[in-house]
Amino acid sequence: MSRLFTPAEIGGLALPNRLVMAPLTRTRADADGTPNALMTEYYAQRATAGLIVAEATTPSLIGRTHPGIPGVHTPAHVEGWRRLTGAVGGRMFLQLQHGGRVRHHGSTEPGVAPSPVPLKDMVPRELTGAGITAIIAEFARAARNAVAAGFDGVEVHAANGYLLHQFTAPNTNLRADEWADPVRFTVEVTRAVVDAVGAGRVGVRVSPRNRVNGIEEGAATGAIYAALVPALRELGPAYLHVVRVPAGDPVFARIRRDWTGVLIANPDLGKALPADGGLAAAEGLLDEGADLIALGRAFIANPDLVERLREGLPLNPLREEFMYEGAAEGYTDYPKWAQAPVETPPASTVEAPAGP
């Protein structure tokens, strides 16, 4: 049996397998960011994952990137998440994401960022030192809210071109003060979250070389993560989650050497989801030192992904047109294997039952 299906542990939390449902933005929250019954059904369907990291969730209104993104900064948000975690029954972390300069196309208010570097013709407001301190406090408060809502922990989103990554990358952080240090903001946010809920309830997500949302680390990538990973290690969070790792990646190998705790790897599967859902790539990354494997699109299309991969069952095709659009369609209507329709042969080919 593949090691993917053996037990593991994160921060004292026992996991029945090593498959993590990656945080996946699906934009199905209510207009005010409150998680709803549809989201509850979606996550409950996928409760056999070893760990679910619930989708990017904002610690403040200004941090919201798109309509339909959930929040965790009001009592209604907390109550909505509490209903959801109760239905899932545990083994859930909540990803905390501040969009920074990333704003949806219909937004008329610019976001905030380390420096006023535009993205898609919108110039963000440069954060003051006081503004930075306030956001750090918002992350800590959001972490406490998440734990109060029943999550086992939170994941600090320092990847994919959002605010923490904007402080990390040299093309978006042009500051000349103490916050010019590319690792400081991520470390201080993580420190505040660890102080708020305890190190065993905290993970951090990073994405070396990821150019999404206008990020360019360039030649600085190696130096950035050579400094960031040991600094995070000193804070003792439960795990580090590395996004879109290709096979044989030297940056990942360096991170594995520097990170002594649990390491989650999300394999780079390209644009088209492979027929095996990423199983071969997952097993390869386990061989390269990952402890857990995070899969995203395969979990979207297969609520029973763990069973399908373990038993070698065919996977549902992913309907990408519903990734961010619609309600139940392309969200909660993917069948489990036992629910999949059985094709009946044409009447002319059906044999009559044998007689006595």
Side-chain angles (χ1 to χ4, degrees):
M1 181 176 67
S2 169
R3 196 155 62 91
L4 270 176
F5 308 108
T6 61
E9 185 177 304
I10 280 184
L13 179 65
L15 311 180
N17 58 69
R18 297 171 186 268
L19 275 167
V20 177
M21 179 178 167
L24 298 155
T25 293
R26 304 303 307 280
T27 60
R28 260 68 170 197
D30 289 347
D32 67 349
T34 299
N36 52 40
L38 189 64
M39 291 173 61
T40 298
E41 181 183 1
Y42 169 75
Y43 283 108
Q45 288 174 342
R46 290 154 178 80
T48 55
L51 176 70
I52 293 174
V53 183
E55 64 204 89
T57 300
T58 61
S60 65
L61 185 58
I62 189 63
R64 196 180 197 197
T65 54
H66 301 281
I69 299 291
V72 67
H73 52 89
T74 73
H77 296 160
V78 173
E79 184 55 35
W81 283 122
R82 185 179 290 117
R83 289 191 293 268
L84 189 154
T85 59
V88 173
R91 305 195 316 276
M92 288 192 77
F93 274 47
L94 179 65
Q95 187 184 73
L96 303 180
Q97 172 197 278
H98 192 299
R101 69 177 188 155
V102 179
R103 307 287 283 171
H104 63 87
H105 296 303
S107 177
T108 57
E109 182 183 4
V112 296
S115 303
V117 178
L119 178 66
K120 297 178 180 177
D121 299 325
M122 185 174 285
V123 181
R125 176 169 51 85
E126 181 173 289
L127 283 161
T128 64
I132 291 170
T133 300
I135 289 175
I136 293 171
E138 288 170 353
F139 269 91
R141 183 167 58 250
R144 288 191 292 269
N145 285 346
V147 171
F151 284 97
D152 297 294
V154 296
E155 180 177 276
V156 174
H157 196 358
N160 295 1
Y162 298 108
L163 183 61
L164 276 68
H165 205 183
Q166 291 159 29
F167 272 88
T168 301
N171 74 312
T172 47
N173 186 348
L174 309 180
R175 302 178 74 95
D177 61 5
E178 65 270 27
W179 298 104
D181 179 343
V183 308
R184 181 177 181 185
F185 185 60
T186 295
V187 169
E188 293 307 319
V189 168
T190 305
R191 188 192 313 278
V193 171
V194 164
D195 288 346
V197 298
R201 292 181 179 270
V202 180
V204 182
R205 193 185 209 209
V206 296
S207 59
R209 292 192 303 262
N210 195 334
R211 300 173 65 185
V212 70
N213 290 318
I215 286 293
E216 292 285 352
E217 293 175 352
T221 297
I224 289 168
Y225 294 94
L228 178 59
V229 173
L232 291 173
R233 184 186 65 215
E234 293 303 310
L235 301 176
Y239 68 80
L240 183 66
H241 181 179
V242 187
V243 178
R244 296 185 68 179
V245 181
D249 180 32
V251 175
F252 180 73
R254 170 66 186 266
I255 290 173
R256 177 67 283 182
R257 291 195 298 271
D258 289 345
W259 184 259
T260 55
V262 173
L263 187 61
I264 302 176
N266 166 233
D268 186 353
L269 301 178
K271 293 183 178 180
L273 182 64
D276 72 350
L279 179 61
E283 291 178 336
L285 287 177
L286 287 176
D287 291 341
E288 292 184 34
D291 298 295
L292 306 172
I293 300 297
L295 296 177
R297 290 173 295 167
F299 265 113
I300 289 176
N302 299 276
D304 55 344
L305 181 66
V306 175
E307 178 187 1
R308 288 182 188 242
L309 294 184
R310 186 178 59 235
E311 303 300 328
L313 300 171
L315 303 184
N316 293 323
L318 177 66
R319 291 172 283 159
E320 295 198 31
E321 66 271 26
F322 298 113
M323 287 280 288
Y324 311 112
E325 302 290 339
E329 191 170 13
Y331 189 57
T332 56
D333 64 345
Y334 283 106
K336 295 184 178 181
W337 177 255
Q339 300 168 333
V342 177
E343 293 186 7
T344 303
S348 60
T349 65
V350 177
E351 295 183 5

